[in-house]
């Protein structure tokens, strides 16, 4: 049968993904695995358990005959938001749970991995393969979140402990920003071709774009410093009303992780507190800050369609780039039945699309059609800015 | 000179608009003018003062030589959200102000009206005319809000006092719902032509629409009752995650103003509490409820572009119809400098577009290109549902 | 029969009390009757209705045969906190009710007054007489609250409207403060004798007081200004921990109604904004401020027992004077059964006792044994400070 | 010199106290040291660090010449509430700090212990001795809090992990409750004699007590079950108004740690979930529940003075017993200057006194004059109920 083969490649992918999650956590102290300083950050040990629970619940229970659940209470502890999969720890309580311990969760991982390897050494139905592939991609998403959360946990500790000592991976940017002109016309948007993609990328469809231009590189720290120095955080006219409220209520004066100390701007990085590097790509800004910066420049952010249509013309992948687009369904988008149907569709309101990828994105997990999304005030993720402008329209 | 003429038509429009505001308020008791039961509702006396302040601040102070401000403190009391026009009473405090009294505000209106009539009896610059026209349209928007707020104030009072005794203006709907097929292709969107429009409608531009169908009439109370009876408020899978949270946190079980009493659904209308009429057009639902209802039907809401492209093919104007579209700038949208620039652009995040008009919309204040917008959880406005569906795409 | 007589004196008292309530409200605009700027302030029209409801519910329904309730919904609207008397408008919603109107409430008062006069023209049981007397005292308490609430409503309006034009009733204080020495020993505390008192004053009992001294007059504005000038609001060591939190969270820098304007302290009074008069008795301070002021002086507040034991030796009655005592039951205190039992006992936790009376206290409503009580952070009531100190103990 | 001796006994006390803290923590997993599920609970590692910081800051820095601070940032991390000792981590953030790690804090303890042993092997001034004694008593208070916090951390985890396997230490109570009559008269209250006591026990003074009776033993689980079964949590008339609000807002239906499961009441104990034992002493109830239970019985709680005057006549020490008394200063109470003066006095408002001791109270840390205090809604501490009643007064 064509759809039941021994999934050697999938087993290899599974093993690599699972190992990388643990590699990310290796430099952590046990205490670092436990805390949840704000609601959006999850304890690393929760990520370790949740990604494992995903395979146990959606794959092993269904496809591995005789599989015995590791611990029935883990369903309550490690369910994230799946209403169809039962009651769960409320999100703000994740950091209140000292148990299961880190060691117990690593044991849980081993237990599930053994069962998965057993399953993956046999011929597999297409449905099972699809769900395992989804589980790998799901874990890759959590790998990126792990980086964000680890950085937040360490970077908001008064001792500012470094995650490791390795040098910054970035090459300085010194070239001026140029704009790439894009012609008006009908473009095709959305995933087409082989391989994995999320349901929110599907439904390839046409959009008409008015003529525009888009920057060939993202904004740097130095360029954003000019905005701060020009009083950008103090002038309401650059801001959305809700952005201005956010600035005032939270007393925002710089990107996240920047501290003005002894007359200069310092930046918490995974290597500890270092001076802000002007030639480094800007990161950790909210949509509100991205939009205000663009307004100050007399420019704007691209829509996600403009971004995708032009993505072949510039390099991308250091930062998730905020777009002007709201996170909405493509025409013809449909929710799958069951728990997997809760993956994307139910979040399609009040969020903004980010395009591209970041340094934290796992290898093989980026596509030009990938639609990332966050609420507009969030900035613990590795976000940045690419500028755009409208060209003279034909109408 | 062509742009300095005696603006007779504008004077007539001004007088009509100003009078209609007071007509709406005529059945109120003085106490009804004062209260603010929730943040989104403003006291009617605040609307009376604020619309007047708009003319005083943006027109008279600038264009009527020798004009003397009625009371300098009124700027603080009646500024709504204009950062560029100084400090203001915080929104939640509007209902805490017993002074200025209703009589004083009517006096303020008379004072400003006299000055405006003086100004409008003289040749006027185009800039002044534009601002006065904006002021009239601004007051018309507040007339619609007045209806919402009055209904909320009376309809949330335990005595359920009627606003008046006039019979319901609606004709019953009995015809079944039909869908109008729309072809794929490039459509032009946005205001074109003569007359007033808001800046958010400008920048007429092309969009490509995949093939779709749109209902020829809005949803009725009876159709929504079927959703309630089918347990629609209790089944998470129809809802956005944020919508589901909203339902549970607020224990939502029906549209606003519906009360289940003695075995039947009652509805607060401006004529008091009456049984829910199944053949009446549904109203007072949030975007979340609109989207959940559509999901339960296996359908969806139209985008604002789909709505506008098809608007010539159906009747509209009883309810503001929620669309799937987020409220975003059109390509080439630009904020005007100064206070008027705060009118629309700064709200273009986290809100949903509603299209059409409602029974409360003042005459002459509706257009097929009009973009109304509210946060997705709000429903004290006269909102309703028009259904849509995607047809088989050509791709 | 000795306990059934025609209660001429009670009728006279009833009429006087009812009239005085309306006299207090006479200078108000209708709008002033409606608003509730903070939870602790009730709209004047609510006081008018609630005091009337008290007579209707606890007296007329029980003792006047054939009495017909004015409006059954008023029980819901005007019940304050009596759990045993049914559901009620939640406290924070009082200011959201435009109906019943002020005129309707005055009509309600007339209706109840007529019925009460009928009842009071007949022989009356002792139980009825007791409840009517309680109703009169209850209304007198609300008269004092009416003053507080009216002052708050007008004094927190940006227009600072005066209540009336009558000159300040106070005579300046210029005499230095002296302390009255009180001997150690057993004193008797609590109400004894004829006439009305509240249940919380009953259970006359002995207390032993160590030797102490108590000031012969309350603190003045001038004396408190010295505390401000000495940085009293900025030095935590004078404050209770919860008081210090309250100061910082609310940015407290002076007594309520004081505004630092153009280099001098202004004070909102019922006659409008006037400069702070240093020789006037201090008012509108919280317990926290009273205790901090005393600590700054190296002194303390008296207990309520010390106050009562010494009350014959000084003048009192301009301000309610904070004491160190918590509001607790006297030995042998017992709650009466039914609604009247909810009058005092259920509030005996987390509040502080104030002794004395104020300029706003109605004639005939003060006693040396009277126990007023408020939460320690409140200061819209007419509160002040009397200082005390411990003398060398005999132990 | 009489006040400078080698403090051998103090060294022994110091060593014992320090060791006991670590013994309590021995069964913990590292993860248990880190979390803070509610504001009132501190992470165990914080207690370990804070008690150490107390000796470092108040003793070593002042009295050990040449002492080098372990880490200057620890002052920020481990200061609890001392305003005079500088900025500090806000209380709700204690559970957000993964660093310093548990191992680092144990190292910190060793470092400070070595320095303290050095100091304690030399002649010591009386001031130093007093502060070290205070530090030991301070750490003993935190030992009791450690028990509360550990129990809360484990008992609110969905896995209900036991702390250890040792059997419950309690002997069942089967004897009926008797009341001990106490005569009216003047009693002396407060600490007298040798040895350590807190400043809030000082100022021994006379109080007059009316005749009363007090129970010879605390209330049992079985007696409290009768209150639950009689609907005690549903009948407002037993409750203070603020207690009733607390019950409704938090949906309280039983003491803390009780769960109604499969038709019977279970109780989380340090040995895990076990059925509620009716003959065990009741624990983990708030003041509101204690007062409501007493009201249901037609009785009341004793005052702290009644408790102390009678304490020689009954056994106490299993539970901290709520009294009716508010936590107030004794006559003549004075705050010490400096940080130590923040120990007790600034908390003397809005709290209730508990008398006695509990199974968790360290040996040598209890006295009949000891004044424990908590806010009336708290119940994670080991609290219980002793009943009292007023006898016929002589007045």
């Amino acid at each position: 049968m064509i759809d039941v083969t021994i999934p050697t490649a999938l087993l290899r992918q599974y093993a690599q993904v699972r190992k990388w999650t643990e590699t990310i956590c290796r430099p952590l102290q046990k205490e670092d695995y436990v805390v949840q300083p704000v609601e959006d950050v999850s304890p690393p040990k929760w990520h370790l358990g949740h990604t494992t629970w995903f395979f146990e619940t959606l794959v092993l229970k269904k496809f591995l005959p005789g599989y015995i659940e590791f611990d029935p209470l883990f369903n309550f502890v490690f369910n994230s938001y799946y209403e169809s999969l039962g009651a769960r720890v409320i999100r703000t309580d994740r950091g209140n749970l000292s148990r299961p311990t880190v060691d117990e969760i690593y044991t849980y991982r081993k237990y599930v991995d053994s069962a998965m390897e057993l399953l993956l050494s046999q011929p597999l139905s297409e449905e099972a393969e699809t769900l395992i592939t989804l589980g790998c991609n799901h874990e890759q998403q959590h790998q990126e979140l792990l980086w964000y959360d680890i950085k937040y946990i360490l970077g908001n500790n008064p001792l500012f402990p470094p995650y490791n000592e390795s040098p910054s991976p970035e090459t300085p940017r010194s070239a001026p920003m140029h704009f790439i002109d894009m012609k008006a016309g009908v473009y095709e948007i959305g995933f087409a071709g082989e391989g994995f993609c999320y349901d929110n990328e599907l439904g390839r469809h046409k959009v008409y774009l008015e003529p525009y231009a888009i920057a060939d590189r993202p904004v740097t720290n130095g360029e954003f410093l000019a905005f701060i120095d020009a009083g950008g955080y103090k002038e309401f006219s650059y801001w959305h009303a809700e952005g201005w409220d956010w600035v005032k209520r939270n007393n925002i004066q710089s990107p996240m992780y920047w501290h003005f100390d002894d007359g200069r701007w310092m930046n918490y990085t995974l290597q500890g507190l270092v001076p802000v590097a002007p030639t480094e790509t800007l990161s950790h800004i909210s949509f509100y800050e991205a939009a205000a910066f663009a307004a100050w420049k007399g420019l704007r952010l691209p829509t996600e369609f403009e971004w995708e249509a032009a993505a072949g013309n510039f390099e991308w992948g250091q930062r998730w780039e905020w777009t002007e687009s709201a996170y909405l369904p493509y025409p013809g988008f449909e929710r799958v039945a069951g728990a997997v149907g809760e993956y994307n569709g139910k979040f399609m309101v009040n969020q903004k699309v980010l395009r591209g990828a970041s340094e934290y994105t796992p290898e093989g997990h980026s596509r030009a059609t990938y639609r990332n999304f966050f609420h507009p005030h969030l900035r613990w993720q590795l976000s940045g800015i690419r500028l755009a402008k409208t060209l003279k329209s034909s109408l």
Side-chain angles (χ1 to χ4, degrees), chain A residues 265-285:
Chain A
W265 285 106
M266 301 296 286
N267 188 12
Y268 178 79
T269 69
L270 289 176
Q271 292 74 46
L273 262 191
V274 298
V276 166
T279 57
E280 201 171 278
T281 306
L282 173 69
S283 55
H284 294 298
I285 43 93

Side-chain angles (χ1 to χ4, degrees), chain A residues 182-217:
Chain A
M182 296 289 295
K183 292 220 176 92
V186 172
Y187 292 84
E188 293 196 3
I189 295 294
F191 187 79
E194 300 297 306
F196 176 83
C197 80
Y198 286 109
D199 58 356
N200 62 10
E201 304 167 58
L202 286 173
R204 188 162 166 89
H205 63 287
K206 294 178 185 158
V207 303
Y208 185 93
L209 299 179
E210 301 285 337
Y212 67 104
I214 190 163
D216 64 342
R217 65 159 176 80

Side-chain angles (χ1 to χ4, degrees), chain A residues 60-212:
Chain A
L60 291 172
K61 285 186 184 174
K62 187 158 180 194
F63 298 101
L64 186 62
Y67 176 76
I68 294 165
E69 200 176 10
F70 183 78
D71 184 329
L73 277 167
F74 280 26
N75 192 53
F76 180 69
V77 173
F78 290 123
N79 183 358
S80 53
Y81 56 68
Y82 295 88
E83 302 278 349
S84 47
L85 298 175
R88 59 191 185 278
V89 168
I90 58 166
R91 184 167 184 156
T92 47
D93 270 351
R94 288 179 189 164
N96 296 334
L97 302 189
S98 60
R99 312 290 178 96
T101 64
V102 174
D103 289 344
E104 284 162 355
I105 294 171
Y106 275 113
T107 303
Y108 177 41
R109 288 182 72 88
K110 282 216 179 71
Y111 178 89
V112 164
D113 284 349
S114 298
M116 283 294 297
E117 279 154 28
L118 181 62
L119 180 70
L120 282 159
S121 64
Q122 302 162 15
L124 217 55
S125 72
E126 196 185 309
E127 188 194 352
E129 242 184 86
T130 300
L131 280 165
I132 295 168
T133 305
L134 179 63
C136 289
N137 278 274
H138 170 260
E139 183 144 348
Q140 287 180 309
Q141 288 184 299
H142 280 277
Q143 287 165 359
E144 180 141 5
L145 289 172
L146 256 175
W147 287 113
Y148 301 163
D149 294 353
I150 290 168
K151 187 169 182 180
Y152 193 96
I153 287 165
L154 301 178
N156 284 279
N157 188 294
L159 309 179
F160 292 118
Y163 167 79
N164 63 22
E165 310 289 343
S166 59
S168 166
E170 301 220 358
T171 37
R173 292 187 177 282
S174 49
M177 188 183 295
H178 289 107
F179 280 79
I180 302 155
D181 282 5
M182 296 289 295
K183 292 220 176 92
V186 172
Y187 292 84
E188 293 196 3
I189 295 294
F191 187 79
E194 300 297 306
F196 176 83
C197 80
Y198 286 109
D199 58 356
N200 62 10
E201 304 167 58
L202 286 173
R204 188 162 166 89
H205 63 287
K206 294 178 185 158
V207 303
Y208 185 93
L209 299 179
E210 301 285 337
Y212 67 104

Side-chain angles (χ1 to χ4, degrees), chain A residues 144 148 151 168-174 216-221 279-284 307 314-322 355-361 366 381-386:
Chain A
E144 180 141 5
Y148 301 163
K151 187 169 182 180
S168 166
E170 301 220 358
T171 37
R173 292 187 177 282
S174 49
D216 64 342
R217 65 159 176 80
V219 169
T220 61
N221 287 338
T279 57
E280 201 171 278
T281 306
L282 173 69
S283 55
H284 294 298
W307 193 98
F314 51 75
E315 274 181 48
W316 50 266
Q318 277 190 304
R319 303 287 181 268
W320 286 101
E321 298 172 11
W322 286 108
R355 289 302 194 98
S358 87
E359 286 159 9
Y360 298 155
T361 309
S366 59
Q381 75 279 21
L382 203 53
S383 53
I385 303 175
R386 185 179 300 273

Side-chain angles (χ1 to χ4, degrees), chain A residues 4-20:
Chain A
V4 179
T5 57
I6 296 193
T8 323
L10 191 53
L11 173 56
R12 199 165 43 236
Q13 188 193 357
Y14 177 84
Q16 280 171 350
V17 166
R18 297 286 288 170
K19 191 176 168 194
W20 181 238

Side-chain angles (χ1 to χ4, degrees), chain A residues 192-261:
Chain A
E194 300 297 306
F196 176 83
C197 80
Y198 286 109
D199 58 356
N200 62 10
E201 304 167 58
L202 286 173
R204 188 162 166 89
H205 63 287
K206 294 178 185 158
V207 303
Y208 185 93
L209 299 179
E210 301 285 337
Y212 67 104
I214 190 163
D216 64 342
R217 65 159 176 80
V219 169
T220 61
N221 287 338
E223 287 160 347
F224 199 82
L225 271 168
F227 171 73
I228 298 179
D229 291 344
Y233 280 104
K234 290 170 189 155
E235 171 52 41
F236 69 86
S237 68
Y238 303 135
W239 297 81
H240 289 92
E242 296 187 12
W244 186 239
D245 287 348
W246 171 80
V247 163
K248 285 186 298 179
R249 197 168 45 248
N250 300 288
N251 194 25
I252 304 290
Q253 300 180 348
S254 70
M256 185 177 265
Y257 297 120
W258 288 25
H259 303 264
F260 197 73
D261 193 24

